[in-house]
Amino acid sequence: MTVEKLKLLFQKHLHDKNYQHREMSSEEFDKRAEQSFSRLTPELQTKILTVCLSKGITDEKDIYRFRFLAQTNLFFLCMVLEKYSDMTDHEYVWTDGVMHNTHEEICNDFFVRKDPTKKTFKEFASKENYHEQKERLLLVPRGGFKSSMNMADCVQWIICFPEVTILVLTGVLDLAKDFVGEIKSHFTLEDGGPNGLFIKKKSLRPRTMLDGTESVFQVLFPEHCIEKDDGKSYEYQTPAVSMVEKECTVFAASIEQNLAGWHVGIMKLDDVVTNENSQTVDRIININKQVSINAAMLHPYGFFDKIGTWYDSSDTYGQDILNRKKFVEEGGSEAQFPMKIYIRPAWWQNAEARAQGKTSSEMGEGDYDYWFNIPENEHSLTFKSLQHKKKTDPWFAIKYLNDPTQLHTIKFPRELLVRRTIPAAMLPNTGMIVTCVDTAYSTKSWADYTVIMSALIYGGRFYIIDMKRGRYNEFELPAMIAATALQWKPRRICIEESVGVKWMGREAYREMDKLKVRVPIEWVSLGQGKKTKSKSEKAGPVYNYLGQGKLLFLNSCPS
């Protein structure tokens, strides 16, 4: 990046939509930029001015401005680092009807808005100075630069507060090492250049970028730069700090390591939940436990970030989402919840398609809104690429929709259900009544409801005349089945055959005897199916009947 391009980027990003100082006057901006620079020791100030001057940034006030914008505008910093320049501020309409943008919003509104005019990290993070949430959860689609933004955020913390300590935790140690290695690379110089410019008695220069120019980031922040092979590959210690702690600036670990004795200002949990450690309930419980235990290493004034892929409703991300839901249901607001949560799928049904009640098979490219859809950007998640992934990737809902519950869900559009609702006058006068019971026995939190449904069958159509849905214990459920038998006197009651439910038949018959009614119970096996497709295979025929008008609902059914 040339100095001329840096100047253009500065002017462009000074007024980013979510930038904290976009409305600040130029006089106030310059004042704060100089205040941030003046925190440094005279030795470091001289070093920065000398390096910048040698590389063509000759205006001292420009040095202050460029540095301050990089310290306070994370999206601008991503551009200056150059490795993350494919991020975008492309806008889209979210389901709340409000215009949002893909990456700039996350950089400048989700991540912590820092104030480098404060003397220390501890002062900035104190209760007196920082009043927003200190915990964060970011879930955006695979390939959407979430880890890149997280790494850039680490870099920003370092250039704002050199004394900060950051622990990067991942599900696999090698991933954590790569994460820290990439952060470290932004500060690592190349051999060559004037002797002593960056480090005494060393001939070093800024690293060469893909366009052949030198790293302008390293020119602006030379006080943090190091020579190649400085320390361990998975640790980084900035030379700008006045006192080195036992914990280095940034270091890596696995979530399942023993980390007792360490204390940090910032914890970054990036992909601590993996496909491997989310396979069983016991592994999920253990990871959740480790997350809770490791949180104790955070200083009381510290910040705690989670970034990853949501694999299961009971994993650490799912628990955070559930806790926020409960908090809101109990009268709180999302802004009051201790954790800021930001979730986006790669695509979602737009308002027009929702109004028309379009089914999944009817959806075309124009029926979706997209989170990251810029055809000229090779990283974009376009309709074509997502359609291909949906057909070929069994974990599409996890990787690209950020909703593992959709692995087990067939969506029935509300508008289509309304179109299939009929008044009592349209109900046939004759036919066969049957009742079906889904006990929904499951360890999954989204599948803990029992549904009892009664239907009148006539002329090749199913007319749903009654539905009961709720959480029933082992005493209530047999009584509900017997009450339904008395109410509708169906030809038979069909219950899905699964492990541990046949006791219910005996209890249901006892309850029927009390009501002096008897309806045969039939156990129906639906087969095992594949874990990722069994729900789809079982619900698919029902979905087809609904679309063909062969499944209808009486409008007097309980809502």
Side-chain angles (χ1 to χ4, degrees), residues 382-433:
T382 62
F383 175 78
K384 184 177 180 180
S385 67
L386 291 171
Q387 277 286 75
H388 175 72
K389 294 177 190 301
K390 184 179 179 182
K391 293 176 181 177
T392 59
D393 191 342
W395 308 109
F396 179 81
I398 288 175
K399 294 179 182 178
Y400 300 101
L401 301 184
N402 278 302
D403 188 357
T405 66
Q406 293 197 35
L407 285 174
H408 312 276
T409 302
I410 293 291
K411 285 193 172 181
F412 294 86
R414 183 180 185 280
E415 292 76 9
L416 182 59
L417 292 170
V418 170
R419 294 206 305 265
R420 297 293 182 258
T421 302
I422 62 170
M426 294 181 63
L427 193 68
N429 295 321
T430 185
M432 178 176 67
I433 296 177

Short mmCIF file of all heavy atoms in Angstrom, two decimals, residues 382-433:
data_model
loop_
_atom_site.label_atom_id
_atom_site.label_comp_id
_atom_site.label_asym_id
_atom_site.label_seq_id
_atom_site.Cartn_x
_atom_site.Cartn_y
_atom_site.Cartn_z
N THR A 382 -22.79 -16.57 -2.54
CA THR A 382 -23.83 -16.26 -3.50
C THR A 382 -24.90 -17.36 -3.52
O THR A 382 -24.73 -18.43 -2.93
CB THR A 382 -23.24 -16.12 -4.91
OG1 THR A 382 -22.65 -17.39 -5.28
CG2 THR A 382 -22.16 -15.05 -4.94
N PHE A 383 -26.01 -17.08 -4.20
CA PHE A 383 -27.08 -18.06 -4.32
C PHE A 383 -26.56 -19.36 -4.93
O PHE A 383 -26.84 -20.45 -4.43
CB PHE A 383 -28.21 -17.49 -5.19
CG PHE A 383 -29.30 -18.48 -5.48
CD1 PHE A 383 -30.27 -18.77 -4.52
CD2 PHE A 383 -29.38 -19.13 -6.71
CE1 PHE A 383 -31.29 -19.68 -4.77
CE2 PHE A 383 -30.39 -20.04 -6.98
CZ PHE A 383 -31.35 -20.32 -6.00
N LYS A 384 -25.78 -19.24 -5.98
CA LYS A 384 -25.27 -20.42 -6.67
C LYS A 384 -24.39 -21.26 -5.74
O LYS A 384 -24.53 -22.49 -5.67
CB LYS A 384 -24.48 -20.01 -7.91
CG LYS A 384 -23.99 -21.19 -8.76
CD LYS A 384 -23.27 -20.69 -10.01
CE LYS A 384 -22.77 -21.87 -10.85
NZ LYS A 384 -22.07 -21.39 -12.08
N SER A 385 -23.48 -20.60 -5.03
CA SER A 385 -22.58 -21.35 -4.15
C SER A 385 -23.34 -21.96 -2.97
O SER A 385 -23.06 -23.09 -2.56
CB SER A 385 -21.46 -20.43 -3.63
OG SER A 385 -21.97 -19.43 -2.78
N LEU A 386 -24.30 -21.24 -2.43
CA LEU A 386 -25.07 -21.75 -1.30
C LEU A 386 -25.98 -22.90 -1.70
O LEU A 386 -26.15 -23.86 -0.94
CB LEU A 386 -25.88 -20.62 -0.66
CG LEU A 386 -25.04 -19.56 0.07
CD1 LEU A 386 -25.91 -18.38 0.47
CD2 LEU A 386 -24.36 -20.15 1.31
N GLN A 387 -26.58 -22.80 -2.89
CA GLN A 387 -27.41 -23.89 -3.38
C GLN A 387 -26.60 -25.17 -3.51
O GLN A 387 -27.06 -26.26 -3.14
CB GLN A 387 -28.02 -23.53 -4.74
CG GLN A 387 -29.27 -22.69 -4.66
CD GLN A 387 -30.49 -23.48 -4.21
OE1 GLN A 387 -30.63 -23.81 -3.04
NE2 GLN A 387 -31.37 -23.80 -5.13
N HIS A 388 -25.39 -25.03 -4.03
CA HIS A 388 -24.51 -26.19 -4.19
C HIS A 388 -24.16 -26.78 -2.82
O HIS A 388 -24.22 -28.01 -2.63
CB HIS A 388 -23.24 -25.79 -4.94
CG HIS A 388 -22.23 -26.90 -5.04
ND1 HIS A 388 -22.40 -28.00 -5.85
CD2 HIS A 388 -21.03 -27.08 -4.39
CE1 HIS A 388 -21.37 -28.82 -5.72
NE2 HIS A 388 -20.52 -28.28 -4.85
N LYS A 389 -23.80 -25.91 -1.88
CA LYS A 389 -23.43 -26.39 -0.55
C LYS A 389 -24.62 -27.03 0.16
O LYS A 389 -24.48 -28.02 0.88
CB LYS A 389 -22.89 -25.23 0.28
CG LYS A 389 -21.57 -24.65 -0.23
CD LYS A 389 -21.13 -23.47 0.59
CE LYS A 389 -19.96 -22.73 -0.03
NZ LYS A 389 -18.78 -23.56 -0.23
N LYS A 390 -25.81 -26.49 -0.04
CA LYS A 390 -27.01 -27.04 0.59
C LYS A 390 -27.27 -28.47 0.11
O LYS A 390 -27.70 -29.34 0.88
CB LYS A 390 -28.21 -26.16 0.28
CG LYS A 390 -29.50 -26.59 0.96
CD LYS A 390 -30.64 -25.66 0.62
CE LYS A 390 -31.94 -26.11 1.28
NZ LYS A 390 -33.08 -25.23 0.93
N LYS A 391 -27.01 -28.73 -1.17
CA LYS A 391 -27.25 -30.05 -1.74
C LYS A 391 -26.16 -31.06 -1.39
O LYS A 391 -26.42 -32.26 -1.32
CB LYS A 391 -27.36 -29.94 -3.27
CG LYS A 391 -28.58 -29.18 -3.75
CD LYS A 391 -28.58 -29.03 -5.26
CE LYS A 391 -29.79 -28.25 -5.76
NZ LYS A 391 -29.75 -28.05 -7.23
N THR A 392 -24.93 -30.57 -1.19
CA THR A 392 -23.79 -31.49 -1.03
C THR A 392 -23.24 -31.57 0.39
O THR A 392 -22.52 -32.51 0.71
CB THR A 392 -22.65 -31.08 -1.98
OG1 THR A 392 -22.25 -29.72 -1.67
CG2 THR A 392 -23.10 -31.14 -3.43
N ASP A 393 -23.54 -30.59 1.23
CA ASP A 393 -22.96 -30.55 2.57
C ASP A 393 -24.03 -30.86 3.61
O ASP A 393 -24.94 -30.06 3.84
CB ASP A 393 -22.36 -29.16 2.84
CG ASP A 393 -21.52 -29.14 4.11
OD1 ASP A 393 -21.68 -30.05 4.94
OD2 ASP A 393 -20.71 -28.21 4.26
N PRO A 394 -23.94 -32.02 4.27
CA PRO A 394 -24.96 -32.38 5.27
C PRO A 394 -24.97 -31.45 6.49
O PRO A 394 -25.93 -31.44 7.26
CB PRO A 394 -24.58 -33.81 5.67
CG PRO A 394 -23.13 -33.92 5.34
CD PRO A 394 -22.92 -33.07 4.14
N TRP A 395 -23.91 -30.67 6.66
CA TRP A 395 -23.82 -29.75 7.80
C TRP A 395 -24.08 -28.31 7.38
O TRP A 395 -23.63 -27.37 8.04
CB TRP A 395 -22.44 -29.87 8.46
CG TRP A 395 -22.09 -31.29 8.80
CD1 TRP A 395 -21.16 -32.08 8.20
CD2 TRP A 395 -22.70 -32.11 9.81
NE1 TRP A 395 -21.13 -33.32 8.76
CE2 TRP A 395 -22.06 -33.37 9.76
CE3 TRP A 395 -23.70 -31.90 10.76
CZ2 TRP A 395 -22.41 -34.41 10.61
CZ3 TRP A 395 -24.04 -32.94 11.60
CH2 TRP A 395 -23.39 -34.17 11.52
N PHE A 396 -24.83 -28.14 6.32
CA PHE A 396 -25.12 -26.80 5.79
C PHE A 396 -25.74 -25.89 6.85
O PHE A 396 -25.36 -24.72 6.99
CB PHE A 396 -26.06 -26.91 4.58
CG PHE A 396 -26.44 -25.61 3.97
CD1 PHE A 396 -25.59 -24.96 3.09
CD2 PHE A 396 -27.67 -25.01 4.26
CE1 PHE A 396 -25.94 -23.75 2.51
CE2 PHE A 396 -28.03 -23.80 3.69
CZ PHE A 396 -27.16 -23.17 2.81
N ALA A 397 -26.69 -26.42 7.61
CA ALA A 397 -27.38 -25.60 8.62
C ALA A 397 -26.42 -25.11 9.70
O ALA A 397 -26.59 -24.02 10.24
CB ALA A 397 -28.52 -26.39 9.26
N ILE A 398 -25.40 -25.91 10.00
CA ILE A 398 -24.42 -25.52 11.01
C ILE A 398 -23.44 -24.50 10.45
O ILE A 398 -23.21 -23.45 11.05
CB ILE A 398 -23.66 -26.77 11.51
CG1 ILE A 398 -24.58 -27.62 12.40
CG2 ILE A 398 -22.39 -26.38 12.27
CD1 ILE A 398 -23.96 -28.93 12.84
N LYS A 399 -22.88 -24.78 9.30
CA LYS A 399 -21.82 -23.94 8.75
C LYS A 399 -22.32 -22.62 8.18
O LYS A 399 -21.63 -21.59 8.29
CB LYS A 399 -21.08 -24.70 7.64
CG LYS A 399 -20.31 -25.92 8.10
CD LYS A 399 -19.65 -26.58 6.90
CE LYS A 399 -18.89 -27.84 7.29
NZ LYS A 399 -18.30 -28.50 6.10
N TYR A 400 -23.50 -22.64 7.57
CA TYR A 400 -23.93 -21.46 6.82
C TYR A 400 -25.22 -20.80 7.34
O TYR A 400 -25.51 -19.67 6.98
CB TYR A 400 -24.09 -21.82 5.34
CG TYR A 400 -22.80 -22.29 4.75
CD1 TYR A 400 -22.54 -23.65 4.56
CD2 TYR A 400 -21.80 -21.39 4.41
CE1 TYR A 400 -21.33 -24.09 4.06
CE2 TYR A 400 -20.58 -21.81 3.91
CZ TYR A 400 -20.36 -23.17 3.74
OH TYR A 400 -19.14 -23.59 3.25
N LEU A 401 -25.97 -21.50 8.18
CA LEU A 401 -27.19 -20.90 8.72
C LEU A 401 -27.05 -20.56 10.20
O LEU A 401 -27.91 -19.89 10.77
CB LEU A 401 -28.39 -21.85 8.52
CG LEU A 401 -28.71 -22.21 7.08
CD1 LEU A 401 -29.97 -23.08 7.02
CD2 LEU A 401 -28.88 -20.98 6.19
N ASN A 402 -25.97 -21.03 10.82
CA ASN A 402 -25.75 -20.81 12.25
C ASN A 402 -26.94 -21.21 13.09
O ASN A 402 -27.36 -20.50 14.01
CB ASN A 402 -25.39 -19.33 12.51
CG ASN A 402 -23.93 -19.05 12.24
OD1 ASN A 402 -23.06 -19.66 12.84
ND2 ASN A 402 -23.68 -18.16 11.30
N ASP A 403 -27.50 -22.36 12.75
CA ASP A 403 -28.66 -22.86 13.49
C ASP A 403 -28.70 -24.38 13.39
O ASP A 403 -29.28 -24.94 12.46
CB ASP A 403 -29.95 -22.26 12.93
CG ASP A 403 -31.16 -22.61 13.79
OD1 ASP A 403 -30.99 -23.36 14.77
OD2 ASP A 403 -32.26 -22.15 13.48
N PRO A 404 -28.06 -25.09 14.34
CA PRO A 404 -28.04 -26.55 14.28
C PRO A 404 -29.42 -27.17 14.41
O PRO A 404 -29.62 -28.31 14.00
CB PRO A 404 -27.14 -26.95 15.46
CG PRO A 404 -27.23 -25.80 16.41
CD PRO A 404 -27.37 -24.59 15.54
N THR A 405 -30.39 -26.44 14.98
CA THR A 405 -31.73 -27.01 15.11
C THR A 405 -32.36 -27.26 13.75
O THR A 405 -33.26 -28.09 13.63
CB THR A 405 -32.64 -26.08 15.94
OG1 THR A 405 -32.86 -24.86 15.23
CG2 THR A 405 -32.01 -25.77 17.28
N GLN A 406 -31.90 -26.56 12.71
CA GLN A 406 -32.47 -26.76 11.39
C GLN A 406 -32.02 -28.06 10.74
O GLN A 406 -32.58 -28.47 9.71
CB GLN A 406 -32.14 -25.58 10.47
CG GLN A 406 -32.83 -24.30 10.90
CD GLN A 406 -32.85 -23.26 9.80
OE1 GLN A 406 -32.96 -23.58 8.61
NE2 GLN A 406 -32.75 -22.00 10.18
N LEU A 407 -31.03 -28.73 11.34
CA LEU A 407 -30.68 -30.07 10.88
C LEU A 407 -31.83 -31.03 11.12
O LEU A 407 -31.96 -32.04 10.45
CB LEU A 407 -29.45 -30.58 11.63
CG LEU A 407 -28.09 -30.01 11.26
CD1 LEU A 407 -27.05 -30.53 12.22
CD2 LEU A 407 -27.72 -30.36 9.83
N HIS A 408 -32.66 -30.70 12.08
CA HIS A 408 -33.74 -31.59 12.50
C HIS A 408 -35.11 -30.96 12.26
O HIS A 408 -36.09 -31.34 12.87
CB HIS A 408 -33.60 -31.92 13.98
CG HIS A 408 -32.22 -32.33 14.35
ND1 HIS A 408 -31.76 -33.61 14.20
CD2 HIS A 408 -31.17 -31.61 14.83
CE1 HIS A 408 -30.49 -33.68 14.60
NE2 HIS A 408 -30.11 -32.48 14.98
N THR A 409 -35.18 -29.97 11.36
CA THR A 409 -36.42 -29.22 11.18
C THR A 409 -36.85 -29.17 9.72
O THR A 409 -36.04 -28.94 8.83
CB THR A 409 -36.25 -27.78 11.69
OG1 THR A 409 -35.88 -27.83 13.07
CG2 THR A 409 -37.53 -26.98 11.55
N ILE A 410 -38.12 -29.41 9.48
CA ILE A 410 -38.73 -29.12 8.19
C ILE A 410 -39.61 -27.90 8.39
O ILE A 410 -40.47 -27.89 9.27
CB ILE A 410 -39.59 -30.30 7.69
CG1 ILE A 410 -38.71 -31.50 7.38
CG2 ILE A 410 -40.39 -29.91 6.46
CD1 ILE A 410 -37.81 -31.32 6.18
N LYS A 411 -39.39 -26.87 7.62
CA LYS A 411 -40.15 -25.63 7.81
C LYS A 411 -41.45 -25.67 7.03
O LYS A 411 -41.48 -25.93 5.84
CB LYS A 411 -39.31 -24.42 7.35
CG LYS A 411 -38.23 -24.05 8.34
CD LYS A 411 -37.65 -22.70 8.01
CE LYS A 411 -36.71 -22.25 9.09
NZ LYS A 411 -36.15 -20.91 8.81
N PHE A 412 -42.54 -25.40 7.74
CA PHE A 412 -43.86 -25.29 7.14
C PHE A 412 -44.26 -23.81 7.20
O PHE A 412 -44.59 -23.32 8.29
CB PHE A 412 -44.87 -26.15 7.90
CG PHE A 412 -44.61 -27.62 7.80
CD1 PHE A 412 -43.75 -28.26 8.68
CD2 PHE A 412 -45.23 -28.39 6.82
CE1 PHE A 412 -43.49 -29.61 8.58
CE2 PHE A 412 -44.99 -29.75 6.72
CZ PHE A 412 -44.12 -30.36 7.60
N PRO A 413 -44.19 -23.09 6.09
CA PRO A 413 -44.47 -21.65 6.12
C PRO A 413 -45.85 -21.35 6.69
O PRO A 413 -46.84 -22.01 6.35
CB PRO A 413 -44.39 -21.25 4.64
CG PRO A 413 -43.54 -22.29 4.00
CD PRO A 413 -43.84 -23.56 4.74
N ARG A 414 -45.91 -20.37 7.57
CA ARG A 414 -47.16 -20.00 8.22
C ARG A 414 -48.22 -19.63 7.18
O ARG A 414 -49.40 -19.98 7.31
CB ARG A 414 -46.93 -18.83 9.18
CG ARG A 414 -48.18 -18.43 9.95
CD ARG A 414 -47.91 -17.26 10.88
NE ARG A 414 -49.08 -16.97 11.69
CZ ARG A 414 -50.12 -16.27 11.27
NH1 ARG A 414 -50.14 -15.77 10.04
NH2 ARG A 414 -51.16 -16.05 12.07
N GLU A 415 -47.81 -18.89 6.15
CA GLU A 415 -48.76 -18.46 5.13
C GLU A 415 -49.40 -19.64 4.42
O GLU A 415 -50.59 -19.63 4.10
CB GLU A 415 -48.06 -17.54 4.11
CG GLU A 415 -47.63 -16.20 4.66
CD GLU A 415 -46.38 -16.28 5.52
OE1 GLU A 415 -45.75 -17.37 5.55
OE2 GLU A 415 -46.05 -15.27 6.18
N LEU A 416 -48.60 -20.71 4.17
CA LEU A 416 -49.14 -21.91 3.54
C LEU A 416 -50.09 -22.62 4.48
O LEU A 416 -51.15 -23.12 4.06
CB LEU A 416 -47.98 -22.83 3.13
CG LEU A 416 -48.38 -24.12 2.40
CD1 LEU A 416 -49.15 -23.81 1.12
CD2 LEU A 416 -47.14 -24.95 2.07
N LEU A 417 -49.75 -22.68 5.76
CA LEU A 417 -50.64 -23.30 6.75
C LEU A 417 -51.97 -22.56 6.82
O LEU A 417 -53.04 -23.18 6.93
CB LEU A 417 -49.97 -23.33 8.12
CG LEU A 417 -48.75 -24.25 8.26
CD1 LEU A 417 -48.05 -24.00 9.59
CD2 LEU A 417 -49.15 -25.71 8.15
N VAL A 418 -51.91 -21.23 6.75
CA VAL A 418 -53.15 -20.44 6.77
C VAL A 418 -54.01 -20.75 5.55
O VAL A 418 -55.24 -20.89 5.66
CB VAL A 418 -52.81 -18.93 6.82
CG1 VAL A 418 -54.08 -18.09 6.60
CG2 VAL A 418 -52.18 -18.57 8.16
N ARG A 419 -53.36 -20.92 4.38
CA ARG A 419 -54.12 -21.24 3.16
C ARG A 419 -54.77 -22.61 3.24
O ARG A 419 -55.75 -22.88 2.54
CB ARG A 419 -53.19 -21.18 1.93
CG ARG A 419 -52.65 -19.80 1.62
CD ARG A 419 -52.31 -19.65 0.14
NE ARG A 419 -51.38 -20.66 -0.35
CZ ARG A 419 -50.07 -20.48 -0.43
NH1 ARG A 419 -49.53 -19.35 -0.03
NH2 ARG A 419 -49.29 -21.42 -0.92
N ARG A 420 -54.21 -23.48 4.07
CA ARG A 420 -54.76 -24.84 4.20
C ARG A 420 -55.70 -24.97 5.41
O ARG A 420 -55.99 -26.08 5.84
CB ARG A 420 -53.60 -25.84 4.33
CG ARG A 420 -52.69 -25.89 3.11
CD ARG A 420 -53.41 -26.45 1.89
NE ARG A 420 -52.52 -26.54 0.75
CZ ARG A 420 -52.51 -25.69 -0.27
NH1 ARG A 420 -53.37 -24.67 -0.27
NH2 ARG A 420 -51.66 -25.83 -1.27
N THR A 421 -56.16 -23.85 5.93
CA THR A 421 -57.10 -23.86 7.06
C THR A 421 -58.53 -23.65 6.55
O THR A 421 -58.78 -22.77 5.72
CB THR A 421 -56.74 -22.74 8.06
OG1 THR A 421 -55.40 -22.94 8.51
CG2 THR A 421 -57.68 -22.76 9.26
N ILE A 422 -59.44 -24.48 7.03
CA ILE A 422 -60.82 -24.46 6.51
C ILE A 422 -61.83 -24.27 7.66
O ILE A 422 -61.55 -24.62 8.80
CB ILE A 422 -61.15 -25.76 5.76
CG1 ILE A 422 -61.05 -26.97 6.71
CG2 ILE A 422 -60.25 -25.94 4.55
CD1 ILE A 422 -61.58 -28.27 6.10
N PRO A 423 -63.02 -23.74 7.35
CA PRO A 423 -64.08 -23.63 8.37
C PRO A 423 -64.77 -24.98 8.57
O PRO A 423 -64.66 -25.90 7.75
CB PRO A 423 -65.03 -22.61 7.76
CG PRO A 423 -64.85 -22.76 6.28
CD PRO A 423 -63.39 -23.09 6.08
N ALA A 424 -65.51 -25.10 9.65
CA ALA A 424 -66.18 -26.36 9.99
C ALA A 424 -67.17 -26.79 8.91
O ALA A 424 -67.40 -27.99 8.70
CB ALA A 424 -66.91 -26.22 11.33
N ALA A 425 -67.75 -25.83 8.17
CA ALA A 425 -68.73 -26.16 7.13
C ALA A 425 -68.12 -26.99 6.00
O ALA A 425 -68.85 -27.69 5.28
CB ALA A 425 -69.34 -24.87 6.58
N MET A 426 -66.81 -26.91 5.82
CA MET A 426 -66.15 -27.64 4.75
C MET A 426 -65.68 -29.03 5.19
O MET A 426 -65.12 -29.78 4.39
CB MET A 426 -64.95 -26.84 4.21
CG MET A 426 -65.34 -25.54 3.52
SD MET A 426 -63.91 -24.64 2.88
CE MET A 426 -63.26 -25.81 1.67
N LEU A 427 -65.91 -29.38 6.44
CA LEU A 427 -65.48 -30.67 6.96
C LEU A 427 -66.46 -31.76 6.51
O LEU A 427 -67.67 -31.60 6.62
CB LEU A 427 -65.43 -30.62 8.49
CG LEU A 427 -64.71 -31.77 9.20
CD1 LEU A 427 -63.21 -31.71 8.92
CD2 LEU A 427 -64.97 -31.69 10.70
N PRO A 428 -65.98 -32.88 5.95
CA PRO A 428 -66.89 -33.96 5.53
C PRO A 428 -67.71 -34.50 6.70
O PRO A 428 -67.27 -34.46 7.85
CB PRO A 428 -65.92 -35.03 4.99
CG PRO A 428 -64.67 -34.31 4.67
CD PRO A 428 -64.57 -33.18 5.65
N ASN A 429 -68.89 -35.00 6.39
CA ASN A 429 -69.77 -35.54 7.43
C ASN A 429 -69.43 -36.97 7.81
O ASN A 429 -69.98 -37.51 8.77
CB ASN A 429 -71.23 -35.48 6.96
CG ASN A 429 -71.70 -34.04 6.78
OD1 ASN A 429 -71.35 -33.18 7.58
ND2 ASN A 429 -72.47 -33.79 5.73
N THR A 430 -68.55 -37.57 7.05
CA THR A 430 -68.19 -38.97 7.31
C THR A 430 -66.70 -39.15 7.10
O THR A 430 -66.01 -38.27 6.57
CB THR A 430 -68.98 -39.91 6.38
OG1 THR A 430 -68.69 -41.27 6.75
CG2 THR A 430 -68.60 -39.70 4.92
N GLY A 431 -66.19 -40.30 7.50
CA GLY A 431 -64.77 -40.59 7.35
C GLY A 431 -64.26 -41.34 8.56
O GLY A 431 -65.01 -41.67 9.49
N MET A 432 -62.99 -41.62 8.56
CA MET A 432 -62.35 -42.37 9.66
C MET A 432 -61.47 -41.42 10.47
O MET A 432 -60.66 -40.67 9.92
CB MET A 432 -61.51 -43.51 9.10
CG MET A 432 -60.77 -44.32 10.19
SD MET A 432 -59.87 -45.74 9.52
CE MET A 432 -58.60 -44.91 8.58
N ILE A 433 -61.62 -41.47 11.79
CA ILE A 433 -60.79 -40.64 12.67
C ILE A 433 -59.66 -41.48 13.26
O ILE A 433 -59.90 -42.59 13.73
CB ILE A 433 -61.64 -40.02 13.80
CG1 ILE A 433 -62.68 -39.05 13.22
CG2 ILE A 433 -60.74 -39.27 14.80
CD1 ILE A 433 -63.60 -38.46 14.26
#
